[in-house]
Amino acid sequence: GFIPRNQAARLNKEEFATKQEFFQEMSSKGYLPKETEPMHHALFEKTGVESQMLRGSREHQLLIQSLMSGVDIYSPVENDEEDIDGANENEKESRISRLYQAQLLKDHAMGYKIASLMIEHAIAGKADKYMVITGLGHLKHYTGVPDCVHGYLRQ
C-alpha cells in the first residue's frame, strides 16, 4: 500500500544524519525503492549521500505552494529574497519546503507502487488499467504521482 500519513510526518522530524536511515526504513517496508534497485535513481534530486531532497518538478512545487499559501498558481509573484520553496540564506528549510518534501514522499511512495505493479503486470502479459484515488495536490496538471511514475518507469 501507500505510506501512512504518520510515517510521512516523520520525515521532517529527522535530523540529516538519520534521514538516510529513514529512507532505508521506508525502502525496507516496500514504500520506496531500495538502493540496489534501478528505480532508486529516480528518488532524489542528486545522487549520493549529500542529497536527501526528494525529486520533484518546479511545476509541482508551485502547485503545492499555491495550495498551501493561497498564492495564485497562474500568476505567482516572484520574490528575489526567497526561492520558490521559501529557502533564503537565513532559513534553509521553510515550513512550505518541509511540507512539500512530505508531499513528495507520499507521491514517490504511490508512484513507486504503481510503477512496480505496471512492470510486474507487463512482464506477466497483463494489460491492466489502474485507478488511483488521491487528492488534487498529488496529480493536478500531471505533476506529483504521474511525474513519479514516469520517473520510475524511465529507470
Side-chain angles (χ1 to χ4, degrees), residues 23-24 26-44 54 108-109 111-113 116 152 155:
F23 288 122
Q24 288 172 346
M26 295 300 106
S27 294
S28 71
K29 291 180 176 183
Y31 295 128
L32 299 172
K34 292 182 172 69
E35 288 184 48
T36 56
E37 293 180 56
M39 285 191 209
H40 189 267
H41 298 290
L43 189 56
F44 297 105
L54 294 166
H108 276 280
Y112 174 64
K113 181 68 173 181
S116 297
Y152 288 125
Q155 300 301 317

Side-chain angles (χ1 to χ4, degrees), residues 37-58:
E37 293 180 56
M39 285 191 209
H40 189 267
H41 298 290
L43 189 56
F44 297 105
E45 284 291 335
K46 299 174 188 169
T47 57
V49 181
E50 74 278 357
S51 175
Q52 296 295 309
M53 300 296 286
L54 294 166
R55 183 187 61 78
S57 68
R58 178 165 171 77

Side-chain angles (χ1 to χ4, degrees), residues 2 110 113-133 139 149 153:
F2 300 133
M110 286 186 271
K113 181 68 173 181
I114 294 164
S116 297
L117 285 171
M118 291 173 78
I119 290 169
E120 179 184 316
H121 292 177
I123 290 170
K126 297 178 183 177
D128 291 338
K129 293 183 181 184
Y130 305 89
M131 183 173 84
V132 179
I133 300 171
L139 40 86
V149 170
L153 292 177

Side-chain angles (χ1 to χ4, degrees), residues 56-92:
S57 68
R58 178 165 171 77
E59 293 80 11
H60 189 232
Q61 196 171 20
L62 284 168
L63 172 65
I64 299 306
Q65 180 185 25
S66 171
L67 293 172
M68 288 190 226
S69 68
V71 172
D72 183 5
I73 189 173
Y74 303 107
S75 57
V77 177
E78 293 292 331
N79 184 345
D80 292 336
E81 295 176 15
E82 283 189 8
D83 64 17
I84 195 62
D85 64 2
N88 61 28
E89 290 181 33
N90 298 327
E91 183 182 350
K92 276 293 189 197

Side-chain angles (χ1 to χ4, degrees), residues 60 63 107 132-146:
H60 189 232
L63 172 65
D107 291 342
V132 179
I133 300 171
T134 186
L136 180 71
H138 294 287
L139 40 86
K140 187 173 184 177
H141 299 300
Y142 301 100
T143 62
V145 176

